[in-house]
């Protein structure tokens, strides 16, 4: 649970980092990187969703 808090904080400041800490470099990481480039908020939403679901 404590690590999830760290991941969520990382996801707020740098969304791909939060996803990387949760799942590593994979499909979800690349999707998040693209979403973050298109808009910061979609990247945050996707990162928090990935962290919360796993």
């Amino acid at each position: 649970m404590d690590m999830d808090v760290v991941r969520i904080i990382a996801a707020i400041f740098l969304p791909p980092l939060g996803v990387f800490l949760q799942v590593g470099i994979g499909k979800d990481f690349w999707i998040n990187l693209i979403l973050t480039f298109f808009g910061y908020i979609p990247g945050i939403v996707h990162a928090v969703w990935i962290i919360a679901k796993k």
Side-chain angles (χ1 to χ4, degrees):
M1 184 65 173
D2 293 332
M3 197 59 186
D4 283 344
V5 173
V6 172
R7 289 182 189 121
I8 290 174
I9 291 170
I12 291 170
F13 291 107
L14 191 61
L17 177 61
V19 174
F20 174 75
L21 292 174
Q22 181 71 24
V23 297
I25 293 184
K27 173 183 66 156
D28 290 326
F29 172 79
W30 294 111
I31 290 170
N32 187 268
L33 192 65
I34 291 168
L35 286 171
T36 302
F37 283 140
F38 283 131
Y40 188 68
I41 300 299
I44 292 173
V45 170
H46 179 256
V48 171
W49 180 67
I50 291 296
I51 294 167
K53 84 170 189 177
K54 299 209 179 202

